[in-house]
Amino acid sequence: MDIKLELVAVPVTDVDRAKAFYERVGFRADHDVTVSEEIRFVQLTPPGSACSIAIGKGLTRMIPGSLDNMQVVVTDIEEAYADLRGRGIEVTEIQDMPWGSFVYFSDPDGNGWAVQQTKPRPAPTG
């Protein structure tokens, strides 16, 4: 039996501000539906991902900004770093660990994201 992760709720205070941020990161807006005055559902998907995030109103009881270390994976951390910086996203410098290389960023509410290249970069020479 397969069990596939399809959707993760991300708690935000301002849905429009968060939607604009995630679109700037490069996520695709799949749905933006206002169900009622209490419920608005926005689904965004990172490029190439089978899993999406949901932001909105009335979707979760989590406190905005409480999500920490959501992780996405890329094949080239240097390309990801340059792309995010080029989109105006504040990211950390690349950090190399024995299990991969990372950059980190947060959305406007402080929800934290890690971008990982699973294959470690070669050690600098010289």
Side-chain angles (χ1 to χ4, degrees):
M1 172 177 76
D2 290 342
I3 300 176
K4 298 177 182 179
L5 183 62
E6 297 284 336
L7 188 69
V8 175
V10 176
V12 300
T13 54
D14 182 321
V15 180
D16 292 318
R17 177 182 71 172
K19 180 182 177 189
F21 174 82
Y22 284 107
E23 287 178 320
R24 197 168 81 233
V25 169
F27 289 29
R28 177 188 70 243
D30 303 312
H31 302 286
D32 186 343
V33 179
T34 300
V35 178
S36 67
E37 287 187 25
E38 294 81 30
I39 300 172
R40 178 177 173 194
F41 175 80
V42 179
Q43 180 175 326
L44 300 121
T45 305
S49 179
C51 185
S52 302
I53 63 168
I55 59 173
K57 180 179 175 185
L59 302 183
T60 181
R61 291 180 284 176
M62 288 186 286
I63 297 167
S66 64
L67 218 57
D68 188 31
N69 207 27
M70 289 290 295
Q71 188 164 309
V72 293
V73 176
V74 297
T75 56
D76 186 328
I77 197 67
E78 292 170 0
E79 180 183 351
Y81 172 82
D83 181 67
L84 289 167
R85 296 268 316 216
R87 293 170 181 269
I89 305 301
E90 289 185 32
V91 295
T92 65
E93 294 299 319
I94 298 171
Q95 299 176 20
D96 294 306
M97 309 289 183
W99 54 91
S101 299
F102 296 82
V103 295
Y104 301 91
F105 69 90
S106 296
D107 73 10
D109 285 295
N111 294 301
W113 288 83
V115 180
Q116 179 190 23
Q117 174 183 306
T118 55
K119 183 179 178 184
R121 295 187 308 163
T125 58

